[in-house]
Amino acid sequence: MTSEDVWPPREVWVGRWLLVICALVLAMILVGGATRLTDSGLSITEWNLEKGLTPPLTDARWNEEFALYQNTVEFQEQNSEMSLAEFQYIYWWEWGHRFLGKVLGVVFLLPALFFLFTGRLRGRFRMTLALFALGGAQGAIGWWMVTSGLFERLDVSPLRLAIHLGMALIILALALWVALGAFAWPRAGERRVVPSWAAFGLMALIFVQAMLGAFLAGSDGGRAYADWPWIGGEWIPSSVFALEPIWLNFTEDHATQHLLHRTAGYLVALVAIGIGAWGFLSGQGAQRWAAAAIAGIALLQATLGVLTVVSYSPLSLSLLHQAGAALLWMAALVFARAGWR
């Protein structure tokens, strides 16, 4: 049996296309994070494909969009003195996020159809077609998330925000995995010491940590505690898990969210550095350098997390921290692929 019997032949252009998709998904994650952190996500109150293709270009259109926003709970309880110019600032973030999603859909669909009809999406590469379904589901989840904050809450539901981010990470992972396969990476014959299950376990930890971060950001809790390593002057805040029912603490209580997010962050960093050291010292080739990337990114991400907290969560550091999480997620997947047999 040849290697081509095990995995479809190399498809370099499919791999390049999927790497572009990965870059666009990563951009979506970051712009989405900026949209949340600038309280821009509720500035567009309608799902209107025709209106969404172009931004407001006239005073009448801007006034129409502003009037719609003024019906939201967020405007009435938090931004009632907002000017039109201030509204335009948050509107551009949300419009840019949605427009980038449309661009991503086109950049995926047209090459996918070309590759499909020219026979390049054969064998396991056909799983890329699932990405289109996931992308459509992601758009629906995004609107489901937005509707949670329009008229009943001051912000979107942290749970729905976490689901939206989780779906983005799944799409990113699937696209990157298939892209590496399209490049026939890694090459056969290299010594692979760390089993893939260890890398997949690390990915599970990173995913949980990202969801805890989404709960914290979704409830505007990033600035609730700006001290470290303490949380409000305590190692374990006395108010943790005080809400009833208990599940509300994950999405609404800032003390519980900080404790869980920070603790999970320490665990992710320790496991990533441990696995990275194991792979770097014992592995060869692709797995060795992927292990080094995991350890380095994990250390950087932990540092960014601490700096974000003690700096009172400025937008720049918060976005860098979110980017670090996505990069660590991708590095862990590359490491898992490097150990895949």
Side-chain angles (χ1 to χ4, degrees):
M1 180 180 292
T2 67
S3 61
E4 290 190 355
D5 293 325
V6 178
W7 190 258
R10 181 179 306 189
E11 291 287 359
V12 173
W13 282 105
V14 171
R16 291 171 177 169
W17 161 61
L18 288 174
L19 288 181
V20 171
I21 296 299
C22 289
L24 288 173
V25 173
L26 182 59
M28 282 286 292
I29 291 173
L30 296 181
V31 176
T35 301
R36 168 82 283 273
L37 294 171
T38 56
D39 278 332
S40 303
L42 301 178
S43 58
I44 301 179
T45 62
E46 293 181 323
W47 185 268
N48 188 316
L49 181 60
E50 181 180 356
K51 289 175 63 177
L53 290 176
T54 59
L57 300 176
T58 64
D59 290 342
R61 173 78 185 280
W62 275 117
N63 289 325
E64 176 188 352
E65 295 294 331
F66 194 25
L68 291 171
Y69 176 66
Q70 289 171 336
N71 293 322
T72 66
V73 174
E74 182 178 79
F75 176 83
Q76 294 170 0
E77 295 188 9
Q78 178 176 288
N79 297 330
S80 59
E81 298 183 0
M82 174 179 281
S83 67
L84 178 60
E86 291 170 328
F87 170 72
Q88 289 172 330
Y89 172 77
I90 65 172
Y91 188 97
W92 279 117
W93 276 115
E94 175 64 7
W95 186 86
H97 185 54
R98 296 193 188 192
F99 183 74
L100 185 58
K102 296 180 179 69
V103 170
L104 176 57
V106 172
V107 173
F108 178 85
L109 182 59
L110 296 182
L113 292 174
F114 172 78
F115 289 136
L116 179 64
F117 289 119
T118 56
R120 294 178 183 272
L121 295 185
R122 55 185 178 274
R124 297 182 187 178
F125 289 142
R126 287 185 178 174
M127 75 169 63
T128 56
L129 300 179
L131 286 170
F132 187 73
L134 292 176
Q138 177 70 327
I141 290 170
W143 179 241
W144 176 59
M145 176 190 69
V146 168
T147 58
S148 69
L150 289 177
F151 308 115
E152 297 180 0
R153 294 173 54 96
L154 187 60
D155 293 302
V156 299
S157 162
L159 177 60
R160 297 188 189 186
L161 176 70
I163 293 172
H164 193 46
L165 175 61
M167 178 64 82
L169 293 176
I170 290 171
I171 293 172
L172 180 61
L174 180 58
L176 183 57
W177 182 275
V178 180
L180 294 175
F183 291 117
W185 189 93
R187 292 177 297 178
E190 294 178 346
R191 185 185 180 199
R192 304 175 188 180
V193 176
V194 183
S196 286
W197 61 261
F200 287 129
L202 174 60
M203 289 185 68
L205 287 176
I206 295 170
F207 190 87
V208 170
Q209 168 68 343
M211 297 302 97
L212 293 173
F215 290 155
L216 183 61
S219 63
D220 286 329
R223 295 177 175 176
Y225 299 95
D227 54 341
W228 182 88
W230 307 278
I231 303 173
E234 301 176 285
W235 288 105
I236 299 178
S238 54
S239 61
V240 298
F241 292 107
L243 299 180
E244 295 289 346
I246 193 170
W247 59 265
L248 279 177
N249 293 280
F250 292 90
T251 59
E252 306 296 337
D253 182 64
H254 297 333
T256 303
Q257 292 168 336
H258 269 269
L259 178 64
L260 293 177
H261 187 54
R262 295 188 194 190
T263 303
Y266 302 145
L267 180 61
V268 167
L270 289 173
V271 172
I273 292 172
I275 289 178
W278 179 13
F280 183 75
L281 295 175
S282 305
Q284 291 181 347
Q287 190 177 63
R288 186 167 190 256
W289 296 110
I294 282 180
I297 295 173
L299 183 59
L300 176 62
Q301 174 68 346
T303 303
L304 282 171
V306 173
L307 290 175
T308 301
V309 166
V310 300
S311 301
Y312 199 58
S313 302
L315 179 61
S316 56
L317 281 177
S318 298
L319 289 179
L320 282 175
H321 188 49
Q322 185 165 351
L327 291 175
L328 183 59
W329 170 256
M330 296 170 70
L333 181 133
V334 170
F335 185 67
R337 177 77 194 185
W340 187 259
R341 297 184 184 277

